[in-house]
Amino acid sequence: MTEPHHPQPRPDSLPSHESPRAVGSLLIVGCGRLGTALGRLVLADGGAVIGIRRNPGNLPEAFTTIAADVTQPLDIALPPIDSIVFTLPPGSRATGPDDDTYQRALANVDSALAARPSRVVFVSSTRVFEGAAASQTIDEGSQPAPRSERAESLLAGERLAVELFGAHVIRPAGIYGDGRNSLTERVRVGEELDGNRLTNRIHQDDLARGIYTVLRSPSPPPLLHATDDHPAPLRDVATFIAATLGVDPPPFADATDVSGRRMSGALFRATVGGLTYPDYRAGYSHILGDLSA
C-alpha cells in the first residue's frame, strides 16, 4: 500500500496582502485522525504539536502527547501554548438530554491552561442543521436547525468556545479520507442505502488544511462551513464507488422523498484557496487508488 497522501499547504491559502501568523505551539484536544493530519502540517512548518487524548499511544513520535480524558477535571497544568484546536470525536460521551461533553471539555481545558492562547478553533459539525429542509441551501448566515440532543450539545459547545476563547468555529460536513472508509465498505458488501438522501462531504486533507489556514490567517472568518463543491444524492456517490471498485451498485431504499441538506462551502473554499478534492469523484478516486495499490 502507498503512503497516505498529506498535501502541503498551498501558497495561495492566504490572500496576497496578508502575512501569515505563526501557529507556534499547538494543542490539539481530542487528537484523532483529523488532529494528526493537522499536526503534520504544523510540524512541517516548524511548529510544535501537543496531542491530548485518552489513549495517545498511536500518535506520531514527533508529537508531544498527553494521556487524559478532557471531559473530566484535569490534574495537570498545561504548558504555555500559542494555539488550540478542539477536535472532539463524534459521540465520545453522547448519552442523553443532559449530555454536556463539549462544555465540560472546554471548561476543563480552560481551567488547566497557564495562559490564554492567541488563536483557538472549535471543530463542530454541519449536523447543527439536521432539521433544515433539503430544498434549502445553507451557508454561514443560515440559522441552525438542531433536532437531536447531539446537535444541541454541539451548538452549546460552539457558544462556550466563543465565550471562553473567542474561538473560530468550523463546521465540517461528512469527513472522509485516510482511515475513514465506512461508505466504501458498505458499498463493497452491498448494504442497502438511502439513495435519495442529499449528502455533503469534505476530504480530511482539505479539512486539515482549512483549519491550518484559520490558524495562520491574521483575520479569518469567525465561522466556516467545510464542505466540497458538489452536494450529491447518496445514490450517485455509491454508484460511482461501486463502478470504481468493479462491483454491482448496492440496493437502494424505496423512499421517494429527498432528505438531507445542501451545504454551501463557498466561503471555506475562498478562505483556503481551493480544494485538493473538490468533489466526491476526485476524493474517492484517490482513496480507492490508495486502497488498491
Side-chain angles (χ1 to χ4, degrees):
M1 181 179 293
T2 59
E3 287 294 316
H5 178 62
H6 302 289
Q8 294 300 308
R10 299 178 184 176
D12 61 348
S13 292
L14 295 175
S16 59
H17 65 279
E18 291 189 346
S19 298
R21 65 182 292 276
V23 175
S25 56
L26 171 65
L27 174 67
I28 304 176
V29 181
C31 189
R33 292 189 183 97
L34 174 59
T36 298
L38 171 64
R40 287 192 175 106
L41 295 178
V42 172
L43 289 175
D45 198 35
V49 175
I50 303 169
I52 182 169
R53 57 183 293 177
R54 292 188 188 92
N55 300 300
N58 60 347
L59 292 178
E61 291 185 1
F63 288 20
T64 299
T65 59
I66 299 173
D69 179 356
V70 293
T71 66
Q72 304 300 318
L74 300 177
D75 59 1
I76 57 171
L78 295 171
I81 49 178
D82 301 304
S83 308
I84 302 178
V85 173
F86 288 88
T87 61
L88 297 169
S92 56
R93 291 278 178 147
T95 52
D98 297 323
D99 175 47
D100 60 353
T101 300
Y102 302 101
Q103 299 94 300
R104 284 186 284 126
L106 288 158
N108 291 335
V109 170
D110 182 47
S111 295
L113 284 171
R116 192 60 52 89
S118 60
R119 180 63 51 85
V120 175
V121 176
F122 181 81
V123 181
S124 181
S125 170
T126 57
R127 185 168 184 166
V128 299
F129 294 100
E130 62 193 1
S135 59
Q136 177 184 1
T137 298
I138 297 167
D139 61 18
E140 286 78 4
S142 301
Q143 187 68 24
R147 196 172 53 193
S148 67
E149 294 153 3
R150 166 85 173 141
E152 292 282 6
S153 181
L154 279 164
L155 280 173
E158 291 181 6
R159 290 191 291 267
L160 186 58
V162 173
E163 178 184 330
L164 289 177
F165 301 107
H168 296 260
V169 175
I170 297 180
R171 296 171 177 159
I175 307 171
Y176 72 115
D178 182 22
R180 301 175 184 265
N181 303 318
S182 173
L183 180 57
T184 299
E185 291 309 307
R186 293 166 70 192
V187 171
R188 192 191 302 273
V189 301
E191 179 181 328
E192 184 178 78
L193 301 173
D194 179 1
N196 285 337
R197 182 166 63 86
L198 190 61
T199 61
N200 304 266
R201 59 192 47 78
I202 186 72
H203 195 286
Q204 181 172 270
D205 290 346
D206 282 323
L207 176 55
R209 190 162 58 85
I211 299 170
Y212 178 76
T213 301
V214 170
L215 290 172
R216 294 174 70 234
S217 175
S219 54
L223 173 64
L224 287 171
H225 290 165
T227 183
D228 68 19
D229 295 345
H230 294 286
L234 187 55
R235 181 188 306 273
D236 294 355
V237 183
T239 299
F240 176 82
I241 291 173
T244 306
L245 289 172
V247 301
D248 292 333
F252 297 105
D254 294 332
T256 56
D257 293 339
V258 175
S259 60
R261 50 200 175 270
R262 183 183 301 276
M263 304 295 304
S264 169
L267 182 58
F268 180 77
R269 296 193 302 275
T271 301
V272 174
L275 303 182
T276 303
Y277 305 103
D279 57 32
Y280 68 85
R281 294 178 181 86
Y284 278 108
S285 292
H286 179 81
I287 292 168
L288 296 175
D290 273 357
L291 291 176
S292 64

